Structures are given as C-alpha cells and as structure tokens.
C-alpha cells in the first residue's frame, strides 16, 4: 500500500499539478493606476520568458515548448519575439513564415492557460505594417484573455513624441476589434527612457502599459531608480525583456544585480520577462545547440542564464 501511495505521489509530482494555471486563475487582465490586475481587480505580477527572434530560432516556436515553459519552468507569460527587420527572413520580407511561427505559440498559450505577448520585435518604426498586423491579430485573437500586444520592442532613434503618434495609431486600430486586452508600448533608447513617458503618457486609452528593458550586468541603480520613479508617478511599467548579462546579450553574468532588479520589481509589483529561449553561443541564450526544440530540457542542456531564470520563475511563480 505504501508503495502504491508513493508511486501515485511520484506520478502526480511529475505531472507538476502544482503549476498554476494563470489564465484560469486571473482571467481578463486590466490596468488600475500603475498596476496590472486580474479580472477582479487584484494586483498581480506576471513572470516569464521570451523566445528568441522567430527568424533565427524558429525551432523553438512550437506548441510543446510553450507547454514545457509553462509546466516545467513555471512561466505565467511567454513572449513571442516576431523579428520585423534587421535579421533576414523577417516579418517584412516573409510575413507568411512569421505567422507560421507565432500562431502555434499563441494557440498553445490559449490551450495551456498561459498569457502570451505578441511582440513586434523591431528597432525602427514601420507604422503602416504594424497597424495592418495588429489589426489582423486583434480580429483573430482579441477575444482571448491570454493575448497581450507589444507594439514596438525597442525604439532606438525615435523621439517620445513620434512614438506617441505611432502608439495612438496602432492602439486605435487594435481597439476597433479588441476593447480590453493589455497593450504594451516601448519607449525611446532601447526602452530605457521611461522618465520621458512619465512626463507625458498617452491619454484616452485604457489597459496600456509601458515597457522598460534592462540587462543586469550593464544597467544598474540609475535605471532601477528611474523605473521606481515612473511607477510612483502612476505609470504602468512592464519589463517585457531583461537579461542577467550585459546589454549586448553576451559577456558577464551578474546574478547580484539581477537579484536587486527582481527585488525592486517585486516590491513595485512590476511584471518581468527574461531573454531568451535560444541556443546562440552567447551568455543570454538559455539553451545549448544540442537541446531539443520542444523540451522538457534536462539540466545538461540548460546554460547558466537558463538555470538562473528557471530558478527565479520556480521561486516566484507559485
Ligand atoms: Mg479582448
């Protein structure tokens, strides 16, 4: 009998029945003041991982990988980084392939009750293309509470004034089809000038948040303070990308600075995502090239940044 009980317990544990079902639990998200909240209006914090560029690592854009990240890594949100420019075979060159990559991720997120960010992964502005894309996505997926739109990964050269015009156009288009899902908007200088947003946020829309990105080895106290000041001014901040490495995505890993970031985000109830599920020979890539495309991933194919990230997710998402 004892053996049977132990065996049943082992089976239950291996099925990870203790992983939470984020969308079942929190439903349709909303923003109240600076805070991301669940359907009932209770503050929540989403914590998850970003897939790498779809056009470099299409192999990780599959349904099973989403399931692995939710069930084994405890991610409550997964970001699909749809490469729009820069790297070849991007969305502008090949939209059909981009959709073939991101749609299975969106559909798996819906099936597995996990939130998904559809990230327009660009560094320059392409207003008309973004408007068409998000219009189509909102028509198809806006009814699902799982979906979060990210309008512009990391602007580099654009002023906040021009970004506000861009955001206004795209948000207006999304809201024709989807009145309520969360929309994330980037800010100047690789999503670091959140103080410019705080001086002049968008007006007339609901459920909008602003993204801040950091890489723990490069960005330290000044950027943490900038985030805190923005939140205290009532700006809803979402860290839709971050890394334990230098800003290049490579170089030294700084777990101490990462912990300071996490402590600050947890204190402010700011949601966060780590970059990335990919297998490049650089320190922010979480997996080795010999890792399979779907998971589950054994210890020996997960790199240090991956182990740290998985550890943070397992610790905080419970
Ligand atoms: Mg909706």
């Amino acid at each position: 009998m004892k053996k049977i009980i132990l065996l049943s317990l082992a089976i239950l544990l291996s099925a990870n029945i203790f992983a939470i079902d984020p969308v079942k639990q929190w439903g349709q998200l909303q923003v109240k003041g600076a805070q991301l909240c669940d359907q009932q209006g209770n503050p929540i914090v989403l914590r998850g991982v970003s897939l790498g560029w779809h056009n470099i690592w299409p192999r990780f854009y599959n349904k099973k990988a989403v399931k692995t990240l939710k069930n084994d890594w405890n991610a409550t949100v997964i970001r699909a980084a749809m490469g729009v420019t820069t790297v070849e075979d991007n969305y502008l060159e090949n939209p059909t392939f981009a959709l073939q990559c991101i749609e299975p991720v969106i559909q798996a997120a819906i099936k597995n009750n996990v939130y998904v960010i559809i990230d327009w992964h660009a560094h320059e502005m392409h207003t008309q293309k973004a408007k068409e894309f998000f219009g189509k996505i909102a028509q198809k997926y806006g009814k699902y509470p799982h979906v979060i739109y990210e309008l512009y990964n990391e602007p580099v050269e654009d002023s906040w004034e021009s970004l506000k015009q861009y955001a206004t156009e795209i948000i207006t288009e999304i809201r024709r089809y989807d009145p309520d899902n969360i929309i994330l908007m980037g800010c100047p200088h690789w999503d670091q000038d959140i103080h410019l947003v705080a001086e002049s946020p968008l007006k007339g829309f609901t459920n909008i948040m602003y993204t801040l990105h950091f890489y723990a080895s490069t960005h330290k106290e000044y950027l943490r303070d900038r985030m805190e000041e923005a939140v205290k001014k009532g700006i809803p901040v979402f860290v839709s990308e971050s890394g334990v490495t230098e800003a290049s995505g490579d170089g030294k890993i700084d777990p101490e600075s990462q912990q300071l970031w996490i402590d600050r985000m947890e204190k402010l109830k700011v949601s966060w995502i780590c970059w990335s599920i990919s297998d490049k020979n650089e320190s922010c890539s979480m997996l080795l090239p010999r890792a399979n495309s779907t998971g589950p991933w054994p210890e020996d194919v997960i790199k240090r940044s991956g182990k740290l990230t998985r550890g943070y997710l397992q610790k905080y998402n419970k």
Side-chain angles (χ1 to χ4, degrees):
M1 189 61 187
K2 209 173 184 182
K3 255 187 188 166
I4 294 171
I5 292 170
L6 282 174
L7 191 65
S8 324
L9 195 63
I11 291 166
L12 285 173
L13 283 172
S14 70
N16 204 1
I17 52 152
F18 300 115
I20 54 172
D21 260 343
V23 184
K24 263 195 197 160
Q25 196 168 332
W26 297 319
Q28 182 73 48
L29 303 178
Q30 53 178 318
V31 177
K32 292 177 109 184
Q35 184 59 51
L36 181 63
C37 294
D38 69 8
Q39 193 161 332
Q40 273 71 46
N42 306 306
I44 62 153
V45 178
L46 296 181
R47 308 173 189 89
V49 277
S50 183
L51 303 178
W53 296 64
H54 86 277
N55 43 337
I56 311 181
W57 296 282
R59 74 185 188 94
F60 294 117
Y61 282 72
N62 66 76
K63 295 185 175 186
K64 283 185 179 164
V66 171
K67 204 174 170 187
T68 297
L69 291 169
K70 189 232 170 190
N71 290 341
D72 292 359
W73 288 43
N74 282 22
T76 52
V77 58
I78 292 158
R79 180 177 186 243
M82 189 184 75
V84 174
T85 59
T86 319
V87 178
E88 66 184 356
D89 210 21
N90 55 58
Y91 174 80
L92 296 185
E93 288 174 8
N94 192 350
T96 307
F97 177 65
L99 289 167
Q100 277 168 10
C101 288
I102 68 161
E103 290 208 78
V105 172
I106 301 169
Q107 287 156 10
I110 292 168
K111 195 173 167 216
N112 288 282
N113 291 308
V114 64
Y115 294 96
V116 60
I117 295 179
I118 302 167
D119 161 33
W120 182 260
H121 206 74
H123 293 288
E124 320 100 36
M125 201 180 278
H126 296 276
T127 312
Q128 196 49 40
K129 292 290 181 191
K131 194 172 161 182
E132 286 164 19
F133 170 77
F134 282 110
K136 278 187 204 156
I137 291 289
Q139 281 180 71
K140 192 163 179 184
Y141 295 107
K143 61 177 180 285
Y144 296 101
H146 312 71
V147 168
I148 298 172
Y149 312 94
E150 183 171 357
L151 306 187
Y152 193 162
N153 166 49
E154 289 181 354
V156 179
E157 301 286 346
D158 310 288
S159 67
W160 178 233
E161 278 315 304
S162 63
L163 290 168
K164 279 177 83 174
Q165 284 173 20
Y166 169 91
T168 300
E169 268 200 59
I170 316 295
I171 295 167
T172 303
E173 180 69 6
I174 291 174
R175 290 295 185 240
R176 289 175 62 196
Y177 310 105
D178 177 0
D180 49 8
N181 283 31
I182 304 294
I183 299 176
L184 310 179
M185 179 57 199
C187 67
H189 197 232
W190 293 277
D191 287 355
Q192 282 153 43
D193 289 354
I194 197 81
H195 57 293
L196 301 178
V197 176
E199 285 163 17
S200 174
L202 291 160
K203 289 209 167 69
F205 301 111
T206 53
N207 295 339
I208 308 296
M209 303 184 82
Y210 302 91
T211 54
L212 179 131
H213 289 180
F214 73 82
Y215 281 79
S217 267
T218 304
H219 306 116
K220 301 200 172 171
E221 207 58 14
Y222 79 96
L223 197 55
R224 290 190 279 266
D225 289 345
R226 202 181 263 183
M227 171 175 72
E228 180 155 359
E229 280 160 28
V231 171
K232 286 188 170 159
K233 279 187 181 167
I235 300 300
V237 175
F238 194 118
V239 174
S240 60
E241 189 182 305
S242 66
V244 293
T245 64
E246 294 167 18
S248 63
D250 204 2
K252 197 165 67 78
I253 284 176
D254 190 339
E256 221 169 279
S257 172
Q258 179 71 15
Q259 190 59 57
L260 290 171
W261 271 105
I262 289 182
D263 292 345
R264 192 76 74 96
M265 292 186 290
E266 291 299 323
K267 182 183 99 172
L268 299 170
K269 292 194 166 64
V270 166
S271 296
W272 49 268
I273 286 187
C274 295
W275 176 269
S276 70
I277 296 297
S278 53
D279 62 8
K280 192 176 171 180
N281 182 24
E282 65 179 10
S283 47
C284 78
S285 271
M286 297 187 195
L287 298 170
L288 287 172
R290 66 183 168 84
N292 69 32
S293 300
T294 60
W297 296 297
E299 292 295 314
D300 69 327
V301 300
I302 305 175
K303 291 162 63 175
R304 189 167 172 226
S305 61
K307 283 181 181 151
L308 283 166
T309 300
R310 189 190 55 177
Y312 297 132
L313 293 173
Q314 288 174 344
K315 177 175 173 192
Y316 290 93
N317 281 341
K318 55 181 183 192

